[in-house]
């Protein structure tokens, strides 16, 4: 019984070593061809990991940016990182071997959803950057900044695609632009000051003023921005205005200034 058991264990070990050896050969030949689905994981990984590959996967899956590795001839997705799964809501198996263009929402800037026409324009040292809307599994879309570059992975030419979600930054830009438009078009004069030294009200320096102030003061905006309040309107110190402005900055309390008749 012992010999039979030992012989059986030896055969299992030999079979295991043969499988491991075969996997190592495949890894050396082509990194991407060693991927296999692992139950419970969104992203496939090699059955046998070397320290270099482990380091690769740690970097690959730790970033919040979406990373796709695509076949250079077909544009089909060969691999992707966890951020793709988390952001777009698909499972790994749903995306692998799709063309990247299948995830792009057609619009005027990318009507044909054919990434191959873009790949042909990319040289080995060039990165192309686009703004595309990628489709999520729930049908909604996300505005993404996409960088596309040819690269070498395990000696094979691939297309590396990195996508960054710019929905929030774009909304912030739009909100900021709306604020700027209001600032520039409102018919109430607005001065913005920075108190450079919290303990010195003489360091109140004008950092912005809207066009309406020119009508109210008769002084071009370009001549007063960058100067201190005392330099622009020295007579206001005797009325306690710089002191009050500095106190507003320190306490963050509002202060309502009564009508001031001013002339230098």
């Amino acid at each position: 019984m012992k010999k039979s058991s030992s012989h059986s264990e030896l055969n299992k070990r030999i079979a295991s070593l043969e499988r491991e050896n075969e996997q190592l050969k495949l890894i050396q030949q082509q990194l991407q061809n060693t991927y296999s689905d692992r139950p419970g994981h969104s992203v496939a990984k090699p059955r046998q990991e070397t320290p270099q590959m482990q380091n690769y996967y740690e970097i690959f899956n730790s970033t919040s940016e979406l990373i796709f590795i695509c076949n250079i001839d077909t544009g089909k997705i060969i691999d992707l990182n966890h951020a793709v799964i988390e952001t777009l809501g698909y499972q790994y198996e749903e995306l692998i071997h799709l063309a990247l263009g299948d995830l792009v929402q057609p619009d005027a800037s990318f009507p044909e959803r054919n990434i191959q026409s873009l790949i042909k324009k990319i040289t080995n040292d060039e990165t192309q950057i686009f703004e595309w809307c990628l489709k999520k599994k729930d049908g909604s879309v996300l505005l993404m900044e996409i960088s596309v570059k040819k690269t070498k992975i395990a000696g094979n030419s691939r297309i590396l695609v990195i996508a960054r979600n710019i929905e929030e930054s774009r909304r912030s830009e739009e909100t900021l632009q709306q604020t700027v438009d209001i600032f520039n078009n409102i018919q109430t004069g607005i001065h913005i000051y920075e108190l450079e030294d919290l303990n010195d009200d003489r360091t109140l320096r004008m950092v912005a003023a809207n066009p309406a102030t020119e009508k109210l003061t008769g002084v071009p905006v370009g001549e007063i921005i960058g100067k201190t309040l005392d330099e622009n309107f020295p007579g206001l110190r005797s009325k306690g205005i710089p002191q009050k402005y500095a106190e507003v900055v320190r306490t963050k309390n509002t202060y309502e200034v009564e009508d001031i008749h001013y002339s230098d």
Side-chain angles (χ1 to χ4, degrees):
M1 293 290 294
K2 288 184 180 180
K3 286 185 179 180
S4 176
S5 176
S6 298
H7 187 266
S8 176
E9 290 295 324
L10 180 59
N11 284 338
K12 289 181 181 180
R13 180 56 180 160
I14 291 173
S16 176
L17 289 173
E18 287 177 346
R19 288 194 298 269
E20 292 177 6
N21 185 56
E22 186 63 23
Q23 284 298 315
L24 287 173
K25 288 181 180 179
L26 290 172
I27 290 169
Q28 292 172 348
Q29 293 172 356
Q30 187 178 8
L31 177 61
Q32 301 301 345
N33 290 338
T34 65
Y35 295 163
S36 62
D37 296 343
R38 294 174 63 181
H41 291 72
S42 298
V43 179
K45 295 178 68 177
R47 294 190 183 95
Q48 190 74 24
E49 290 184 9
T50 65
Q52 293 84 354
M53 293 176 66
Q54 184 177 5
N55 182 58
Y56 159 77
Y57 271 104
E58 288 175 356
I59 297 172
F60 191 60
N61 287 313
S62 64
T63 179
S64 61
E65 295 179 324
L66 283 61
I67 301 177
F68 301 87
I69 299 174
C70 301
N71 185 291
I72 198 168
D73 296 317
T74 65
K76 290 185 176 181
I77 300 169
I78 295 173
D79 198 15
L80 47 93
N81 67 346
H82 285 301
V84 176
I85 306 300
E86 295 169 359
T87 304
L88 300 183
Y90 298 94
Q91 292 299 312
Y92 177 83
E93 294 79 7
E94 296 177 286
L95 296 176
I96 201 68
H97 301 315
L98 285 179
L100 182 62
D102 293 334
L103 297 177
V104 179
Q105 179 73 18
D107 58 28
S109 63
F110 195 60
E112 73 286 351
R113 300 193 307 163
N114 182 6
I115 196 173
Q116 288 310 106
S117 61
L118 299 174
I119 291 175
K120 293 176 181 178
K121 300 176 183 178
I122 302 173
T123 65
N124 291 331
D125 299 322
E126 183 183 17
T127 299
Q128 293 281 346
I129 298 178
F130 311 91
E131 287 187 6
W132 292 341
C133 288
L134 294 187
K135 295 182 292 186
K136 298 178 64 175
K137 187 174 181 177
D138 63 10
S140 61
V141 296
L142 287 176
L143 180 62
M144 311 289 288
E145 181 183 81
I146 311 285
S147 65
V148 184
K149 180 180 177 62
K150 288 182 181 178
T151 188
K152 288 279 188 180
I153 298 179
N156 297 297
S157 294
R158 302 297 189 200
I159 292 296
L160 176 65
V161 179
I162 300 177
R164 182 172 63 89
N165 188 343
I166 58 174
E167 288 274 350
E168 185 174 345
S169 63
R170 183 55 54 84
R171 284 195 295 268
S172 297
E173 289 174 5
E174 292 173 352
T175 300
L176 178 60
Q177 186 57 52
Q178 291 174 357
T179 303
V180 170
D181 291 341
I182 294 172
F183 179 77
N184 287 330
N185 292 289
I186 193 170
Q187 295 307 302
T188 300
I190 301 175
H191 289 174
I192 300 177
Y193 292 91
E194 179 184 3
L195 183 60
E196 296 174 335
D197 183 344
L198 287 176
N199 299 314
D200 187 358
D201 55 40
R202 294 182 183 276
T203 64
L204 277 165
R205 191 173 301 280
M206 184 180 289
V207 294
N210 69 340
T213 61
E214 293 189 11
K215 297 179 181 180
L216 298 174
T217 65
V219 181
V221 170
E223 294 183 10
I224 58 178
I225 292 179
K227 295 181 180 180
T228 64
L229 181 57
D230 286 304
E231 289 174 329
N232 286 329
F233 309 106
L236 292 179
R237 179 160 291 279
S238 63
K239 301 177 182 295
I241 299 302
Q243 299 90 324
K244 288 292 186 180
Y245 283 4
E247 189 64 22
V248 168
V249 175
R250 297 189 195 101
T251 64
K252 296 181 174 58
N253 293 327
T254 59
Y255 171 69
E256 187 172 345
V257 180
E258 297 180 355
D259 291 342
I260 297 175
H261 299 281
Y262 180 83
S263 63
D264 284 334

